[in-house]
Every structure is written in C-alpha cells, then in structure tokens.
Amino acid sequence: MNKKIKNILSKKNKSKIVSLTAYSKSLAIILDKYVDIVLVGDSLANVLYGHKNTHKISLENIIQHAQSVKMGIKKSLLVVDMPKGSYDNIKNAKKNAKLILRKTKCDAVKIENSKNNYEIIKSLTRKKIPVMGHIGFTPQFKKFKIEGKTNREVNKLLKEARLIEKAGAFSIVLECIAPNAAKLISKNLEIPTIGIGS
C-alpha cells in the first residue's frame, strides 16, 4: 500500500484530515504545504470552464490538469476524479483508471457512488488501484440537495458507505450531508471520511 495512503488511514480518529482542490501547478505548490490530500476535481468544469455542471469534462481534461497539479506536489496525497462516463462499466473503469494513474502519477482515483459502483470499486481495488469513494450529493448523478435529514436517508447513506468500505475504498467523501448524519457515518466506518459542505 502507498505510504501516503497509509498516512491518511492512520489519521482515523486521531487527527483531522485536510483536503482541498487544485487545478494547476501554481495552486498545488501553495496547498501542498498545508494539506494532507490534494484533489483534482471534475468541478473544474464549473470553476474554470463555466459549465453548468461537471458532466462535460473529458478524461483528457482531467489528465492534463492532474499532470500540472502533480508537478506542484511533494508531500500530499494526490487524488484524481474520474469524470462522468469514464467508469460506466468495469472494463472502462479499469482501462481509464489505469490511464489516469499512468499519465498523472497520482496516488488514487475518486469515484462518485451510483447504484452499480460497488462492483466497480471492488474490481479496481483488487487490481491494486486505490479508490476514494463519494456519497451524498454526487454531481455526476444527482441534482443538488442536502442529504441525511431523515432517518431513512441516514440509513441509506450509512449502507452506501459500508458497501463502499467493503468494496475496498480507503476513504469516502461525504458531500452536502447533514452534520449529525456525517458524524454517525464517520463513527461507524473503519476508513476515514472527508467532509464537503455539510
């Protein structure tokens, strides 16, 4: 297992994990001094290219930005988002994840959760491809709303998180999940969680 990933796992229940997004070398150089994880997010579609959502960013776009970010990183764990459509089945997921890892020299890929993604995560981790999961608001698949406000939603999210953990992910992003739900999910997992906009 990658030493940087081991370091992230060792922080569970001991210290907070700082994770921020970068799209270029210059920003990565600044962030690398202060964070544990740098994510090259598909949010670059909105932030840099002015799209209404993240759906139009291509694999080539993500790879180009990740290559730039990689040049600015010395100590942080580098995670790269797999864009929408790049992991729609196990065969494509393996091919594209390997391409991202090879071309960017990143440490892991991130996959947003959908109904069939547990098997995809499992297939990647079995091939020694490190995966960060992502539940709650998943922009590639859902319209925006805060999740985890009802007991039913909390139970659904907790089940998702446990299945992602079981599939072999080393951490999970919790995006726009109500604070109490996020705390419950984090408490019930062995792997660390990364909060976005609770």
Side-chain angles (χ1 to χ4, degrees), residues 160-179:
E160 279 186 78
R162 283 174 167 160
L163 286 169
I164 290 170
E165 179 178 59
K166 187 177 179 181
F170 70 90
S171 64
I172 303 177
V173 167
L174 310 180
E175 183 167 0
C176 293
I177 293 176

Side-chain angles (χ1 to χ4, degrees), residues 20-35 37-40 65-76 78:
L20 289 172
T21 302
Y23 310 118
S24 65
K25 176 184 176 181
S26 56
L27 185 55
I29 289 170
I30 297 168
L31 297 186
D32 188 53
K33 299 172 185 176
Y34 307 104
V35 306
I37 300 171
V38 173
L39 170 69
V40 180
H65 284 274
Q67 287 171 334
S68 176
V69 170
K70 176 65 177 177
M71 290 189 285
I73 286 180
K74 292 182 179 178
K75 70 168 186 66
S76 304
L78 177 58

Side-chain angles (χ1 to χ4, degrees), residues 46-59:
N46 316 80
V47 176
L48 294 185
Y49 293 100
H51 297 309
K52 290 181 180 179
N53 55 45
T54 62
H55 301 180
K56 292 183 179 180
I57 285 300
S58 68
L59 196 63

Side-chain angles (χ1 to χ4, degrees), residues 3 5 24 28 31 44 59 66 79 81 94 96 105 153 157 161 169 171-172 177 195:
K3 287 182 180 179
I5 291 176
S24 65
L31 297 186
L44 66 92
L59 196 63
V79 180
D81 256 339
K94 285 181 180 177
N96 292 325
K105 310 299 182 196
E153 286 182 352
L157 288 164
S171 64
I172 303 177
I177 293 176

Side-chain angles (χ1 to χ4, degrees), residues 5-141:
I5 291 176
K6 283 184 178 179
N7 180 53
I8 297 299
L9 291 170
S10 72
K11 290 178 178 287
K12 174 73 176 179
N13 297 326
K14 293 178 182 176
S15 61
K16 291 183 179 180
I17 297 168
V18 181
S19 177
L20 289 172
T21 302
Y23 310 118
S24 65
K25 176 184 176 181
S26 56
L27 185 55
I29 289 170
I30 297 168
L31 297 186
D32 188 53
K33 299 172 185 176
Y34 307 104
V35 306
D36 302 296
I37 300 171
V38 173
L39 170 69
V40 180
D42 61 1
S43 53
L44 66 92
N46 316 80
V47 176
L48 294 185
Y49 293 100
H51 297 309
K52 290 181 180 179
N53 55 45
T54 62
H55 301 180
K56 292 183 179 180
I57 285 300
S58 68
L59 196 63
E60 290 74 24
N61 285 144
I62 285 282
I63 287 171
Q64 281 184 322
H65 284 274
Q67 287 171 334
S68 176
V69 170
K70 176 65 177 177
M71 290 189 285
I73 286 180
K74 292 182 179 178
K75 70 168 186 66
S76 304
L77 182 80
L78 177 58
V79 180
V80 177
D81 256 339
M82 293 194 72
K84 185 175 176 66
S86 67
Y87 55 100
D88 50 353
N89 59 59
I90 289 174
K91 183 179 178 181
N92 280 344
K94 285 181 180 177
K95 179 185 77 174
N96 292 325
K98 286 178 180 177
L99 184 67
I100 290 170
L101 288 168
R102 187 175 76 251
K103 288 202 165 187
T104 70
K105 310 299 182 196
C106 68
D107 301 294
V109 295
K110 183 170 76 63
I111 290 179
E112 292 184 18
N113 196 45
S114 186
K115 293 178 182 178
N116 302 315
N117 288 356
Y118 308 114
E119 290 303 316
I120 287 171
I121 293 171
K122 191 185 293 183
S123 70
L124 293 181
T125 56
R126 283 179 175 173
K127 291 290 183 181
K128 308 298 183 187
I129 298 170
V131 175
M132 176 183 279
H134 182 157
I135 65 171
F137 173 49
T138 47
Q140 292 180 14
F141 303 109

